Amino acid sequence: MRKLIYGMNLTLDGYIAAPGDDIGWSVPSDELFQFWSDQLQATDLTLYGRKLWQTMSSYWPTGDQQPNATPAQVEFARRWRDMSKVVFSSTIDKVDWNTRLVTGDAVAEITRLKAEDGGPMDIGGATLAGVAMRAGLIDEYVLATAPVLVGGGTPFFTALDSWVNLNVVETRTLPCGVILTRYETRR
């Protein structure tokens, strides 16, 4: 059975985007960018909600061709473009770059994908992750907590019907002040 990992940059007060979908607070340092690039390399499949898919697909397909792209960004763009991806949306009708679109029941499809053989899957986007969280499908949470408060916006965590008990797997602080924390779901 595959492991499903939900991880994103978030503010100390728990938001992945400030009001107006502003993510200007989350400009990553080289260390944080390398962490996420390593996470991507260790992932077999990434699951996206529509909004995060549109954000990622607006830049990374050609991110390695940008004149100011660093070697790390070139590597990330190539990994991103080549890896398998699934987008869950009922409002778009086309995806590219090694991606499959699912318009039906997200819980059923994620459950099916988890049951397959293969390496870890990442899930991105607060709405999609919230659906998986409420269904008890997330096995690990990865938080890259930035030392900033934004006071509102899109929360990392969704409202839950019951508690989810977790075990701390790793905590470390990057030189830029971001605290990386990994938790596994206690089953």
Side-chain angles (χ1 to χ4, degrees), residues 24 36 41 62 73-74 95 123 137 154 165-166 178 183:
W36 288 121
Q41 183 168 0
T62 59
Q73 290 170 332
V74 168
V95 292
I123 188 166
L137 296 172
T154 305
N165 293 307
L166 306 169
V178 168
Y183 299 90

Side-chain angles (χ1 to χ4, degrees), residues 1 33 38 48 66 91 93 105 141 162 165 171-172 179:
M1 177 171 274
F33 189 83
D38 293 345
Y48 285 107
Q66 302 303 315
T91 60
D93 57 8
D105 183 349
Y141 296 85
S162 61
N165 293 307
T171 299
R172 63 183 158 124
I179 298 173

